[in-house]
Amino acid sequence: MTDPATASPPGHLTVLDRFRLDGRVAVVTGASSGLGAVTAVALAEAGADVALGARRREGLERTAAQVEVTGRRAVVQETDVSDPEACQALVEAAVARFGRLDILVNNAAVAHAKPAAKETADEFRAVIDVNLNGSYWMAQAAARRMGTGGSIINVSSVVSSVSVGLPQAAYAASKAGLSGLTRDLAMQWTGRKGIRVNAVAPGFFLSDIGRGDLQMGFFEEQTRATPIGRPAEIAEVAAVIVFLASDAASYITGATIPVDGGMSVARPG
């Protein structure tokens, strides 16, 4: 029996209630694998239905199946976020299927490590077009459909504020720009539209990008130098994204939260 002295009043949200996303709809880009796929499932576990966007439909279908295992619904839309019309189509697919939009996770990203003197204009633009411009097009499309209480979470990176020793001018520039975009959109939209805009800045974690593009010796050296001394589990980054999407973060906007094992503390910019 509940003790009347400690029982919550009717309508009161408990701490755990504030982390729930029941009845909400999320869009996740880059959802065919890696952090995007794990984040989509985490949002579903918290109660959200999820629209999944990426360029690889096969991967999207796998993520959708994982979302549906949680009991939530999923819709997939092949999306190249560098195309503003494709971004709008993903948002419209979410609204058509679920009737609303509450959360956007801008996760789609590309990266390469190439010396600046050798990087071509097309190579530089390709990174900016996806990581920065694509996040902007998605945010614009989502904000047109979100009501008060919406939340946009941009996936930035530790390299937005510190150097990790890789030649990644385009990637670092795109992620630093994303942190700046986060601040400005929060200023424009939180008060006027009721949409919170935040970012996470992960350090190193084992993902498709990490395995494919980083030398493992370098990867291990970097993670050993962090206070926590290990790479992140992808679920640890996804958990912070779920937090920012939820009412538990209702008084946070314009922030870029490092999820980097202390790398930005050990190696300040």
Side-chain angles (χ1 to χ4, degrees):
M1 180 179 295
T2 302
D3 182 353
T6 60
S8 299
H12 172 76
L13 290 176
T14 69
V15 167
L16 293 181
D17 288 338
R18 292 182 184 275
F19 287 87
R20 294 295 308 173
L21 299 174
D22 300 293
R24 301 188 196 183
V25 173
V27 167
V28 181
T29 66
S32 59
S33 63
L35 178 59
V38 173
T39 296
V41 174
L43 292 165
E45 289 174 342
D49 295 319
V50 190
L52 308 167
R55 289 179 289 190
R56 294 177 292 170
R57 188 172 188 89
E58 182 179 353
L60 290 174
E61 296 288 0
R62 286 195 299 268
T63 304
Q66 293 170 341
V67 166
E68 289 165 354
V69 166
T70 72
R72 304 313 309 168
R73 299 173 294 172
V75 63
V76 304
Q77 177 82 17
E78 290 182 52
T79 306
D80 177 353
V81 298
S82 67
D83 177 358
E85 292 184 0
C87 295
Q88 190 67 48
L90 174 57
V91 167
E92 296 305 324
V95 174
R97 178 70 175 85
F98 303 125
R100 59 185 292 162
L101 176 59
D102 306 282
I103 299 158
L104 167 65
V105 180
N106 271 322
N107 170 72
V110 295
H112 60 249
K114 191 166 186 177
K118 297 180 179 180
E119 189 170 37
T120 68
D122 285 344
E123 287 170 334
F124 190 90
R125 289 191 188 103
V127 174
I128 299 297
D129 276 349
V130 172
N131 298 4
L132 180 56
N133 297 348
S135 294
Y136 187 43
W137 309 141
M138 282 301 312
Q140 280 187 321
R144 295 182 186 115
R145 285 296 205 164
M146 280 182 176
T148 298
S151 177
I152 296 173
I153 303 100
N154 297 318
V155 179
S156 183
S157 169
V158 67
V159 303
S160 68
S161 58
V162 303
S163 174
V164 297
L166 284 174
Q168 289 188 302
Y171 186 73
S174 72
K175 293 301 187 177
L178 194 53
S179 294
L181 180 66
T182 297
R183 292 192 298 272
D184 192 82
L185 293 183
M187 182 188 70
Q188 291 192 49
W189 291 347
T190 302
R192 185 164 61 87
K193 290 178 172 287
I195 298 172
R196 294 183 298 107
V197 187
N198 292 291
V200 294
F204 289 108
F205 58 92
L206 293 175
S207 69
D208 293 343
I209 290 177
R211 284 191 292 268
D213 293 342
L214 297 178
Q215 296 287 336
M216 289 308 294
F218 173 84
F219 184 90
E220 292 165 358
E221 176 186 345
Q222 296 297 316
T223 53
R224 278 198 305 268
T226 67
I228 289 184
R230 62 169 176 83
E233 297 177 13
I234 299 182
E236 292 176 309
V237 182
V240 179
I241 294 172
V242 172
F243 161 66
L244 289 172
S246 75
D247 289 340
S250 58
Y251 204 62
I252 300 175
T253 194
T256 296
I257 297 180
V259 191
D260 62 6
M263 182 178 291
S264 54
V265 175
R267 192 178 304 166

